[in-house]
């Protein structure tokens, strides 16, 4: 099914995912700088809605959540595409596992931060560590 996808296409998809992940980090910084991190009081919904009414703070926070969801789905799709290729499975497979664990940790920490009103053990350092764990996977696929 995925045989028609070339390695060059996988590289382009990986680079696009790197760009989206970088954008997610930048947007996360904007959320924090605008003190909009808890503009949505619940998780995974926002004001008990899938798409909430948007004001400036909610737009930052909700936009970050939407982009994070897109990056997560992109990671899942790219992982499936890469793992479906035996030649890439062995060199890249372990990195996919590491990145998947980092992604799950980030999702759990993000949800806990909202649910516990920012009392969860989360720091910007944890965000950047997870981001840096994902980069080797994406860069190795892009190479």
């Amino acid at each position: 099914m995925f045989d028609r996808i070339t390695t060059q296409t996988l590289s382009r998809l990986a680079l696009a995912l790197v760009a989206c992940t970088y954008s997610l980090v930048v947007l996360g910084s904007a959320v924090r700088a605008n003190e909009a991190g808890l503009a949505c009081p619940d998780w995974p919904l926002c004001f008990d809605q899938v798409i909430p009414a948007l004001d400036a703070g909610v737009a930052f926070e909700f936009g970050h959540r939407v982009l994070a969801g897109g990056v997560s789905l992109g990671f899942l799709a790219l992982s499936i595409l890469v793992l479906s290729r035996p030649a890439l499975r062995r060199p890249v497979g372990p990195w996919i596992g590491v990145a998947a664990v980092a992604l799950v940790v980030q999702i759990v920490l993000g949800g806990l931060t909202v649910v516990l009103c920012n009392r969860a053990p989360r720091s910007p350092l944890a965000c950047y560590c997870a981001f840096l764990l994902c980069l080797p996977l994406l860069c190795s696929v892009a190479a």
Side-chain angles (χ1 to χ4, degrees):
M1 178 176 177
F2 302 120
D3 294 337
R4 295 185 201 183
I5 297 174
T6 66
T7 304
Q8 184 179 18
T9 301
L10 287 175
S11 294
R12 288 180 181 158
L13 291 172
L15 286 173
L17 191 56
V18 167
C20 288
T21 304
Y22 180 76
S23 298
L24 181 63
V25 171
V26 171
L27 183 57
S29 297
V31 168
R32 182 122 175 127
N34 287 291
E35 298 181 1
L38 294 174
C40 292
D42 50 345
W43 187 85
L45 300 176
C46 184
F47 293 102
D48 293 321
Q49 298 176 341
V50 175
I51 301 175
L54 300 177
D55 64 22
V58 173
F60 271 118
E61 173 63 12
F62 186 70
H64 185 262
R65 289 184 184 191
V66 170
L67 184 56
V71 167
S72 298
L73 292 174
F75 172 77
L76 178 64
L78 186 61
S79 297
I80 291 169
L81 290 172
V82 169
L83 292 175
S84 70
R85 300 180 152 249
L88 295 176
R89 192 176 304 137
R90 184 176 173 113
V92 181
W95 288 112
I96 289 174
V98 169
V101 168
L103 179 62
V104 169
V105 167
Q106 275 303 114
I107 292 169
V108 169
L109 286 175
L112 284 174
T113 298
V114 173
V115 170
L116 300 176
C117 296
N118 222 10
R119 290 187 297 259
R122 182 177 190 229
S123 71
L125 179 61
C127 297
Y128 293 119
C129 287
F131 173 69
L132 291 175
L133 286 173
C134 294
L135 277 181
L137 162 73
L138 298 173
C139 292
S140 66
V141 172

